[in-house]
Amino acid sequence: MERDEEPLNGKHIHVTNRTQPWMGPAQIVTDKLTLYATYQVSAWVRVGAQAAGAPQNINVAVAVDSQWINGGQVLARDERWYEVGGAFRVEATPASRVMVYVQGPDAGVDLMV
């Protein structure tokens, strides 16, 4: 979903010096989950000027132990804020952890969440 209004105001995470597309902010949520419940996740994301107008794929992902699931994605075409979201469901007790994170854009492009 694209936001047509003025950019969001407030606090955000600004991830810089990224050397790989998967390097983005993450949060461990293991102790906050209930098995078999479906969770909706969303974030407002923005890319830095380094993208130079090249469309950037940004997605929200979930890692259950070492298995990754992409939850939803958005194609950011400029320096506006975009909403990315998805859903996930954990159906077995994780052996170690569950982590939600935002990944993309290309390496070297700043990511704001």
Side-chain angles (χ1 to χ4, degrees), residues 48-68:
Q50 305 91 339
Q56 299 292 316
N57 188 23
I58 302 170
N59 67 55
V60 61
V62 176
V64 179
D65 298 324
S66 60
Q67 186 176 29
W68 295 94

Side-chain angles (χ1 to χ4, degrees), residues 64-65 92-97:
V64 179
D65 298 324
T93 302
S96 62
R97 68 180 185 183

Side-chain angles (χ1 to χ4, degrees), residues 40-98:
Q40 299 288 327
V41 293
S42 68
W44 287 95
V45 296
R46 181 178 171 180
V47 296
Q50 305 91 339
Q56 299 292 316
N57 188 23
I58 302 170
N59 67 55
V60 61
V62 176
V64 179
D65 298 324
S66 60
Q67 186 176 29
W68 295 94
I69 305 160
N70 286 326
Q73 66 182 25
V74 66
L75 190 61
R77 299 179 185 275
D78 50 32
E79 292 180 70
R80 291 183 293 164
W81 289 96
Y82 292 83
E83 185 176 24
V84 60
F88 70 94
R89 180 175 156 146
V90 178
E91 296 184 353
T93 302
S96 62
R97 68 180 185 183
V98 178

Side-chain angles (χ1 to χ4, degrees), residues 7-13 81 113:
L8 298 176
N9 293 319
K11 297 180 181 180
H12 66 274
I13 298 169
W81 289 96
V113 180

